[in-house]
Amino acid sequence: MADFVLAPPETTALAVEGGGRFPVRRIYCVGRNYWEHSIEMGADPSREPPFFFHKPPDAAVDVSADKAEVPFPSECGELHYEGELVLAIGGEGHALPVDAAAGLIWGYGVGVDLTRRDLQNEAKRMKRPWCASKGFDFSGPVGALVPASKFDIAGKTISLKVNGEQKQSSELAKMIWNPAEIISHLSSFYRLAPGDLIFTGTPAGVGPLREGDLCEVTVDGLPPCAFRVATKA
């Protein structure tokens, strides 16, 4: 046994439908992967290859239980939701061709890329990294995962509601880069490994969340990602 000078931190893990836990190693996120969202954020998606940013592993929050809560973050004047399909990686690979990339997918889930939008906008203006706006505590709530053998992405739709009012809705087929293409491109920069999560981007309609709001994201055939925004952390 290693002689650690401090107790090792607990492994962040997400629930799996039917039992078991999925350990989280890394969290990757795809920026602007839907045409309409790219346009609403002031970008031209026809000219942009996929780009990626990170959240720390312990930003993932298991919200599979009833009445889950996620605290409103500190130092935030404008918290935004971004509903997303999440890929759970179960294999290892580097510089993968597209036709081999899908084989790394262990399962799928539904998540929200919570964003301190005010800090992100400031970072964009200052040409600074997005770490504080995207990688804060509790910024990656995810519902229960489903093994890939039990889910088919074809023909599915993602929808996000706040307090019962629909805010986002899109066919997953409208992603600019599909899951296999995302994995292939990402693997050219990083060696992917079991336990990695990939948030695949959000459709148009992003907007604010306030304390007390109920946020619910659904994808046909997957358990929902649902939580209430609690008081500030």
Side-chain angles (χ1 to χ4, degrees):
M1 181 178 294
D3 187 17
F4 293 113
V5 298
L6 296 174
E10 290 186 16
T11 299
T12 300
L14 299 174
V16 174
E17 188 176 56
R21 307 281 292 173
F22 182 89
V24 178
R25 188 185 84 106
R26 291 181 181 173
I27 302 175
Y28 301 98
C29 303
V30 184
R32 296 196 287 262
N33 195 32
Y34 287 78
W35 289 92
E36 292 87 352
H37 176 61
S38 294
I39 293 168
E40 76 176 350
M41 298 304 287
D44 181 354
S46 65
R47 297 180 180 178
E48 294 187 355
F51 74 92
F52 304 93
F53 56 92
H54 301 263
K55 294 179 183 285
D58 62 358
V61 184
D62 179 359
V63 294
S64 61
D66 292 338
K67 299 181 180 180
E69 292 188 342
V70 173
F72 194 99
S74 60
E75 301 298 326
C76 180
E78 189 177 7
L79 178 68
H80 273 206
Y81 55 78
E82 297 188 3
E84 311 199 7
L85 178 73
V86 178
L87 310 179
I89 299 301
E92 183 173 329
H94 177 63
L96 295 165
V98 173
D99 59 3
L104 264 64
I105 301 175
W106 179 90
Y108 297 87
V110 183
V112 179
D113 169 17
L114 290 174
T115 303
R116 286 172 167 142
R117 190 70 74 202
D118 52 336
L119 297 191
Q120 184 191 35
N121 289 339
E122 180 182 6
K124 288 179 179 179
R125 286 193 299 270
M126 301 293 289
K127 300 186 184 300
R128 292 176 177 174
W130 293 2
C131 303
S133 63
K134 289 287 193 177
F136 53 93
D137 295 342
F138 312 106
S139 61
V142 183
L145 303 177
V146 170
S149 61
K150 298 181 179 180
F151 177 73
D152 183 0
I153 192 174
K156 300 302 192 298
T157 298
I158 185 168
S159 174
L160 183 145
K161 295 180 179 180
V162 177
N163 300 325
E165 181 180 350
Q166 185 165 294
K167 300 293 187 178
Q168 292 183 285
S169 181
S170 176
E171 298 171 7
L172 293 176
K174 291 185 177 180
M175 285 191 283
I176 298 171
W177 304 91
N178 66 37
E181 292 168 332
I182 290 169
I183 292 169
S184 175
H185 194 79
L186 181 61
S187 74
S188 68
F189 297 101
Y190 306 96
R191 179 171 295 279
L192 302 180
D196 290 345
L197 296 178
I198 303 174
F199 283 64
T200 59
T202 194
V206 299
L209 285 173
R210 299 175 177 83
E211 293 181 28
D213 282 350
L214 177 62
C215 183
E216 302 171 282
V217 192
T218 56
V219 169
D220 309 327
L222 295 176
C225 172
F227 60 90
R228 192 170 295 279
V229 181
T231 55
K232 290 186 177 182

